[in-house]
Amino acid sequence: MSEDPAGTHRVIEPSVLYLGTPVYLVATRNPDGSGNLAPASSHFALGRTIVLGLEEGGQSLENVRRHPELTVSFPSSDQWGHVERLAGVTGRDPVPAEKAGAYAFEPRKFERAGLTPIDSELVEVPRVAEAPIQLEARVRRITPATNGEFGMVEAEVVRVHAALGIAGEGTNHLDPEAWHPLIYAYRHFYDRGAEVGWTRKSPLATPPAAVERWETAGGAWEVTYLGEASASVDLLRCDGGEVVETLTLDDPRDLRWAAVQLAISG
Ligand SMILES: Cc1cc2nc3c(=O)[nH]c(=O)nc-3n(C[C@H](O)[C@H](O)[C@H](O)COP(=O)(O)O)c2cc1C
């Protein structure tokens, strides 16, 4: 361990970098046609592609090499116990040498987890009925990791199933307030925390109509105050910059918009 010159950080050698990622349950097709189910957290998604990090020697990676389809079911934070019931088992028989002693062979993973397999619509792999978000995907490429320890499984998501309480009514959006992913950080499970900020693209942080009108007419504006329940915006003349009017905002969307403006301006 060493100290950095500013004294604010030190160099450490953690064995893993589990900084906090949503847990998923990956289902794959066993040689006998049944579904294998394994908990994992390594992944990212961009557009309709999801990339999973699946370890070599596991049944999941072997299955997708043989049958290139999978489902990814995201449990909610209160379902962590089901995930943990799968933590000490593998669908691989015999259990690989590196897992011997620590893992047991379990051919019926869904039953073991206390979860229900439900047929998918576009792929021949079941989903987890209880999971609020379920993705059906086709594997497009598997790239071995340079250290030989895992495969990067690139899959195209072909169908998304979202529980009614999470799928925003009448939209194709997920409601981030209603969705509680199970976060895995350094071998602890967490719920996500409270909402702390928004982006300028957030549908819940739209500009107040009066500010939009002012801007369209060529005027400038400045957020001058943001409190818990209200914010102030000065509408400025575009030439001299004098304050023409001060708006008081109290609509939650307007307050979020004001917070984003203050964040951007630093
Ligand atoms: C919370 C959690 C996260 C995990 N993350 C991963 C992961 O990202 N990738 C992976 O290959 N295994 C991960 N594992 C380990 C696998 O679940 C484990 O190796 C399991 O035996 C694989 O099952 P299989 O051999 O039937 O595929 C994780 C396990 C738990 C409990």
Side-chain angles (χ1 to χ4, degrees):
M1 278 177 246
S2 69
E3 306 250 337
D4 76 337
T8 56
H9 293 66
R10 65 191 165 86
V11 174
I12 60 170
E13 297 289 344
S15 57
V16 289
L17 292 169
Y18 296 156
L19 298 174
T21 316
V23 171
Y24 58 91
L25 292 161
V26 57
T28 53
R29 188 177 163 94
N30 285 320
D32 67 0
S34 65
N36 186 51
L37 189 67
S41 65
S42 307
H43 77 285
F44 66 85
L46 273 180
R48 291 290 285 235
T49 296
I50 190 162
V51 183
L52 312 180
L54 297 181
E55 63 185 15
E56 292 287 354
Q59 187 65 23
S60 302
L61 191 55
E62 184 179 299
N63 281 350
V64 288
R65 285 195 168 117
R66 192 186 54 256
H67 181 94
E69 293 182 330
L70 54 82
T71 65
V72 182
S73 297
F74 287 89
S76 55
S77 53
D78 58 356
Q79 295 175 325
W80 70 270
H82 296 282
V83 171
E84 187 54 19
R85 284 161 77 167
L86 290 176
V89 292
T90 171
R92 191 82 184 261
D93 185 26
V95 175
E98 60 276 14
K99 283 187 167 169
Y103 283 78
F105 169 56
E106 173 56 85
R108 286 175 296 275
K109 297 279 203 76
F110 280 89
E111 287 89 330
R112 173 76 165 229
L115 296 169
T116 314
I118 177 175
D119 281 348
S120 292
E121 293 175 1
L122 300 177
V123 301
E124 288 181 302
V125 183
R127 300 168 273 142
V128 175
E130 292 83 356
I133 296 178
Q134 308 151 4
L135 311 179
E136 299 184 25
R138 296 205 174 95
V139 175
R140 295 299 181 209
R141 180 165 63 175
I142 302 175
T143 310
T146 49
N147 65 7
E149 290 179 2
F150 60 94
M152 283 169 277
V153 178
E154 263 177 80
E156 181 191 345
V157 174
V158 291
R159 187 137 292 177
V160 178
H161 305 264
L164 296 184
I166 290 172
E169 183 121 5
T171 77
N172 277 313
H173 298 304
L174 294 174
D175 176 355
E177 197 52 38
W179 170 223
H180 283 257
L182 172 62
I183 305 294
Y184 187 51
Y186 284 101
R187 304 198 195 281
H188 294 246
F189 292 123
Y190 292 88
D191 189 5
R192 63 153 173 75
E195 182 179 38
V196 294
W198 307 270
T199 78
R200 65 193 81 189
K201 290 186 175 171
S202 168
L204 296 177
T206 45
V211 171
E212 269 194 322
R213 275 197 303 275
W214 187 254
E215 198 172 66
T216 308
W221 47 264
E222 187 185 357
V223 176
T224 54
Y225 167 77
L226 174 65
E228 294 250 311
S230 71
S232 302
V233 186
D234 284 348
L235 302 184
L236 311 169
R237 211 180 288 285
C238 59
D239 40 10
E242 314 92 74
V243 178
V244 177
E245 189 184 346
T246 297
L247 301 177
T248 301
L249 310 174
D250 54 13
D251 183 280
R253 280 173 193 258
D254 294 351
L255 297 186
R256 295 184 199 113
W257 170 83
V260 172
Q261 305 319 307
L262 288 178
I264 292 169
S265 64

